[in-house]
Amino acid sequence: MPLLVTDHSWTQTDSTVYITVPLKGAKVGKVDILSTDEYLKVHCPPCLFEAFLFEPVDDVRSTAKVGDGRALISLPKRNSKVWEHLTITPIDKRKKKEVRDRALLKYQEKLSSESTAKAERQHAEKQYALETMMKLEKEERDSIQKVKDAEREKTTAELAAWRLRQKQDAEGEAPPKRQSQRGDRNKLTAMTEKQADGCSDGVRLDQRGNSEAKSKEKPAVLPAPRSAGNIQVTFTPRVFPTALRESRVPEEEEWLKKQAEARRAVNADVEELKGLKEERNPDWLKDKGDKCFATGDYLGAVNAYNLAIRLNRRIPALYSNRAACHLKLRNLHKAIEDSSQALDLLTPPVAANAAARARASVRRGSAFCQLQLYAEALQDYQAALKVNPHNEALRADTQRIRDIIQGTVANTEPQ
C-alpha cells in the first residue's frame, strides 16, 4: 500500500499555484507526475501525493521540476482569484474515483494524440526523404543519359565528317582522269579532220579512238535480279471465351502489339557489348538471371538483368525480376523504382499480363512495408488482391497491413 505524502507545502498568486512535494531521495527517472485541470498526482514508489484541486487549472501550461529531493509544480489558474484551500474538502470516495477516472482517461487521450501526431510526422518525414532520394537518383540518371547522348551525337558527327572527306577525296581524284580522256579524244578528232580528204587510216583511227573511249565509259554489267516469290504464313485464330460486349479485344490486341515491338526493339548500346552471340540476347540473359536468383546469387542476377535491359528496355519482366533481387539485397528504393517501371510497361491491363502486374505490385508493396510506408504498401497489395482475389496469403498480408495502419497489431512486415 503506498505511503501518502502529507508534508507538502503550497503558495499562490492571483494567476499561479506553486506546490512543493518532498520526494525523500527518489531518483528523477522514477517519479511519475500526472496533472489535469482538476487533479494532480505525484507517484514515487512507495510514496504517493494526490490533490483534488480547489479550482480548475490550465494543465497545458503546467510545469514540473524534480531535483534536490523534491518536486516543484507550477499550475496556472484558469480564473484569476485567490483560493481558500488547495484541495476540495471534504470529498467522498465515489467523487475521488470519478475524478481519478476522468484524469486517467484524459491523460490517455493526450498520449494517444501525441503518439498519432508523432507517427504522422515520422511518416511525412520518411515520405519526403524517399521522394527526395528518388528525385536525386532520377536527376543523376538524366545527367548520365545526357552525357551519353552528347557523346553519341559527337561520334556520329565525326563519322559523318570522315565519310564526307572520303567521298570528296574520291571525287577529287576522278576528274583529272576524265579530263585526260576528253583531251585525247579531242586530239584524235582534230587529226581525223586534217586527213579527211582521203586518208582512210585517219578515219579508221578516229573510229578506233571513239570505240576505245566508249569502251572506257561503258558501265559495268550488273547481274540480273533474283526471282521473287511468296511465303505462305497461316496464323491460328485467337478465340476469346467472353462475350463480345464484355471482351477486351482492343486492349488485348494493343498488349500483343506492344509485346511484339518490345521483342523487336534493340538498344543502340548493343555495339558496345562484347561477347558471344547468345550474350547479346535479352531472353538468354533473363534466363541466366533467373537461374542466379534461384541459387541465391542475387548480385549475379542483377548484373544479368542490367545487361538485358541495356539490350532492350521495353521488357517488363526484366524490371520486375530485378526488383525482386533488390528486395533480397535490401536496396528498397531501387526495388520501388524497378517495380514502378514494370507496372508502367504492363499496360494496358489485360488478362495476359494480370499475373505480372500482381507480382510487380506485391514487390513494390513489400518495399514500402520495409520502409514503414504502410499507406502506400496497402494500395499496392489491394491492387494485387484485385487481380488475384482468391489468393489467401495475399489477403492475409493485406489485412495485416490494414491492422498496422489502424494500430491494432504490432508493426510486422508481410512475408
Side-chain angles (χ1 to χ4, degrees):
M1 183 174 182
L3 300 177
L4 298 179
V5 178
T6 58
D7 54 344
H8 65 279
S9 61
W10 70 287
T11 59
Q12 65 174 324
T13 64
D14 291 341
S15 59
T16 310
V17 175
Y18 301 96
I19 304 174
T20 303
V21 180
L23 300 178
K24 299 179 181 180
K27 295 182 180 179
V28 177
K30 295 183 178 181
V31 180
D32 181 20
I33 301 177
L34 172 61
S35 175
T36 64
D37 56 347
E38 59 180 350
Y39 178 73
L40 173 65
K41 182 184 77 171
V42 180
H43 185 209
C44 177
C47 300
L48 174 66
F49 169 77
E50 62 178 355
F52 300 90
L53 302 176
F54 187 77
E55 292 288 341
V57 297
D58 188 355
D59 58 323
V60 177
R61 295 189 297 119
S62 299
T63 60
K65 295 181 180 180
V66 179
D68 298 332
R70 62 178 181 174
L72 179 60
I73 303 169
S74 301
L75 304 175
K77 298 178 181 178
R78 288 192 178 180
N79 301 320
S80 299
K81 66 179 182 179
V82 179
W83 292 5
E84 297 178 2
H85 304 281
L86 177 62
T87 60
I88 300 175
T89 55
I91 183 170
D92 56 6
K93 292 183 179 181
R94 184 181 61 81
K95 182 68 173 177
K96 288 182 179 181
K97 186 177 183 304
E98 292 178 356
V99 173
R100 288 194 192 99
D101 293 341
R102 286 199 301 269
L104 182 59
L105 180 60
K106 186 174 181 180
Y107 183 70
Q108 290 177 348
E109 292 177 351
K110 180 180 178 181
L111 291 179
S112 177
S113 62
E114 291 178 353
S115 176
T116 303
K118 182 179 179 181
E120 292 177 354
R121 185 171 61 254
Q122 291 178 349
H123 175 74
E125 291 175 354
K126 289 181 180 179
Q127 188 170 8
Y128 174 75
L130 175 62
E131 292 175 354
T132 304
M133 183 66 68
M134 296 180 67
K135 182 179 179 181
L136 292 175
E137 291 180 354
K138 184 178 184 300
E139 291 177 354
E140 183 179 359
R141 288 196 309 273
D142 293 342
S143 63
I144 294 174
Q145 187 64 34
K146 188 179 296 184
V147 172
K148 291 175 64 177
D149 293 341
E151 290 294 333
R152 186 180 293 111
E153 292 176 359
K154 181 180 177 181
T155 304
T156 304
E158 292 176 352
L159 180 60
W162 178 81
R163 289 178 176 174
L164 180 61
R165 287 196 302 270
Q166 294 291 328
K167 183 178 180 181
Q168 291 176 351
D169 293 343
E171 292 178 352
E173 294 177 356
K177 295 181 179 179
R178 290 195 296 270
Q179 186 175 1
S180 62
Q181 293 175 359
R182 191 180 300 110
D184 294 341
R185 288 198 299 273
N186 292 336
K187 291 179 181 179
L188 188 58
T189 304
M191 292 174 62
T192 54
E193 289 178 352
K194 291 180 180 180
Q195 300 173 359
D197 293 335
C199 182
S200 59
D201 293 337
V203 175
R204 288 195 298 272
L205 183 60
D206 184 21
Q207 292 175 352
R208 185 168 61 253
N210 291 334
S211 62
E212 291 178 357
K214 290 181 180 179
S215 63
K216 291 181 180 179
E217 295 180 355
K218 185 176 181 180
V221 179
L222 298 177
R226 291 179 294 180
S227 59
N230 297 325
I231 300 176
Q232 298 295 331
V233 180
T234 58
F235 297 95
T236 303
R238 299 182 67 244
V239 179
F240 294 92
T242 56
L244 183 60
R245 64 178 181 277
E246 299 176 0
S247 66
R248 307 185 65 180
V249 177
E251 289 83 354
E252 292 279 352
E253 296 295 341
E254 182 179 355
W255 167 249
L256 293 176
K257 182 179 179 181
K258 289 182 63 177
Q259 288 296 98
E261 292 176 354
R263 293 300 176 188
R264 290 193 301 267
V266 177
N267 199 325
D269 293 338
V270 174
E271 298 178 357
E272 301 177 4
L273 299 178
K274 299 180 180 180
L276 300 177
K277 182 177 180 180
E278 59 268 15
E279 293 179 356
R280 300 188 181 187
N281 186 348
D283 294 328
W284 184 87
L285 290 170
K286 177 183 176 298
D287 294 338
K288 182 178 179 181
D290 295 344
K291 293 177 181 178
C292 291
F293 183 88
T295 58
D297 184 11
Y298 304 121
L299 288 177
V302 169
N303 292 332
Y305 295 138
N306 289 341
L307 291 176
I309 289 173
R310 288 183 62 186
L311 294 169
N312 195 330
R313 302 179 184 273
R314 302 179 65 180
I315 300 179
L318 298 176
Y319 295 95
S320 181
N321 291 0
R322 192 171 68 175
C325 296
H326 286 315
L327 276 177
K328 294 292 185 180
L329 297 172
R330 303 289 295 177
N331 298 329
L332 303 179
H333 295 91
K334 292 183 178 180
I336 293 173
E337 182 180 346
D338 280 346
S339 301
S340 302
Q341 183 67 27
L343 290 172
D344 290 341
L345 293 174
L346 290 168
T347 54
V350 294
N353 58 21
R357 284 187 287 112
R359 286 193 297 270
S361 297
V362 169
R363 287 165 183 169
R364 188 171 69 176
S366 179
F368 277 129
C369 280
Q370 296 181 49
L371 290 171
Q372 297 184 4
L373 300 176
Y374 297 108
E376 291 79 358
L378 180 61
Q379 294 180 1
D380 285 331
Y381 271 86
Q382 286 177 341
L385 188 62
K386 185 177 180 181
V387 175
N388 192 2
H390 302 294
N391 191 325
E392 295 299 331
L394 184 59
R395 185 182 300 276
D397 289 341
T398 306
Q399 184 60 40
R400 187 179 299 111
I401 297 173
R402 190 179 291 110
D403 294 339
I404 291 173
I405 294 175
Q406 295 174 356
T408 58
V409 297
N411 294 355
T412 56
E413 177 186 340
Q415 299 298 324

